[in-house]
Amino acid sequence: MTRVAVVGAGWSGASCARALFDAGFGVEVFERSKVVGGHSRAEVLDGVVYEPNGAHIFHTSDAVVAEYVQRFGLNRRYGHCVLTEVFLAEDDDRSVLLSWPPQIEELRELPLWPQIERELAALPAEPSGADFATYVISMMGSTLYRLFIEGYTIKQWGRPPSELSSSFAPRRVELRRDGYRRLFRDTWEFFPAQGVNSVIESVLEPVTVNLESMVRLAALDDLAAFDHVVITAPLDEFAGCDGDLEWRGIRMESTVHATAEPAATVTPAYVVNRPSMRVPHTRTVETKHATGQLIDATVVSHEFPGAPARHYPVPTVDGRFESRNRELKTEIATTAPRPVWFCGRLANYQYINQDEAIRQGLDCAARIAAAAAS
Ligand SMILES: Cc1cc2nc3c(=O)[nH]c(=O)nc-3n(C[C@H](O)[C@H](O)[C@H](O)COP(=O)(O)OP(=O)(O)OC[C@H]3O[C@@H](n4cnc5c(N)ncnc54)[C@H](O)[C@@H]3O)c2cc1C
């Protein structure tokens, strides 16, 4: 029997391991932490389900992945809407809550609308520009950029938006003209009442999982019993050259609040974006809006960027970290004593959603099966 070691028990490692198990491979998972689930995990604070790693809404238009997650119990329908707190004038402490993405019909009600309208009328037919600031201004004009995007981006990335690549703008920034309020346009959108932990645990249910087992390139000889190794870990750390790749991390500061009645919440929405430089955080998250948990309390988390954690790959204009990650793949594949495979957000140095992590896990398993059969 072909044996495969999978490093990491987040969505990508779990779905890869389960697909290999279902295909008759001998599989073991090695996870550094005490629990499975990776970055998408929810936790419980004073009885309230909350998200210590930020809001995680499952959404996909990939029918295979949608069917896959429903098989493991991820099927509670949800429709995610986001608000943004906008300060309309520098010298005014009053703010308004507007939809994210910005909606033309709401913007028409603002005192700044004549200026916004003039800028929109002068936009080019297609947005363009290599850096993020230029691209987004060409997409929505400088007033909307200043109100919704600039401060959020500076706080989120800790560098001027002009130093960031425009490559992630089409995926992250939109101006809505059709009145559609939900953030995602995908066919399937789910939010499990307890978070995704139990779903990922079900995926891994028949697979041997070794918790508190960190695997590094230097120790791959310890996995001599395996024919292949799947790596979903960050490659700079895995290869022993921490710091070669830059990441941007977040820190969630979470507080429990008593509520007057079990269904009550204390903020206006599950996620409220805070683009203003007047506050140091970028978002406020109250997961109870999504779980619908009935309990006389709630948890409100403020998301602070700049923590020393591997959350977001840094998309510089020259793409230098993506290119270093490609080199690391080659170095690891050349040094490793047996075939290695890379999947997931960390090993690929990519921002990917949960459905894409699952898709990468399933595709990686299919590639290993094809290699084993040849
Ligand atoms: C702030 C934020 C918000 C997000 N919101 C959403 C959202 O709303 N919707 C959505 O679909 N996606 C969201 N995502 C993306 C989502 O978190 C990822 O798609 C998902 O976590 C990817 O799973 P993964 O298995 O690739 O990585 P991870 O979940 O990070 O799993 C990797 C696992 O490997 C383990 N590991 C690492 N190194 C080693 C090692 N050397 N040895 C052993 N184990 C190791 C880790 O402990 C971890 O368990 C968000 C991401 C961020 C950063």
Side-chain angles (χ1 to χ4, degrees), residues 7-13 30-33 37-40 53 55-57 59 213-215 232-234 237-238 250 283 311-312 344-346 351-354 357:
V7 180
W11 270 123
S12 60
F30 296 83
E31 166 56 51
R32 73 192 295 174
S33 105
H39 192 255
S40 309
N53 299 317
H56 276 76
I57 302 93
H59 55 101
S213 299
M214 173 133 183
V215 179
T232 74
E237 184 187 51
F238 185 82
I250 57 155
R283 285 192 272 208
H311 290 152
Y312 293 98
R345 71 181 187 100
L346 296 166
Y351 181 90
I352 49 172
N353 286 315
Q354 297 169 89

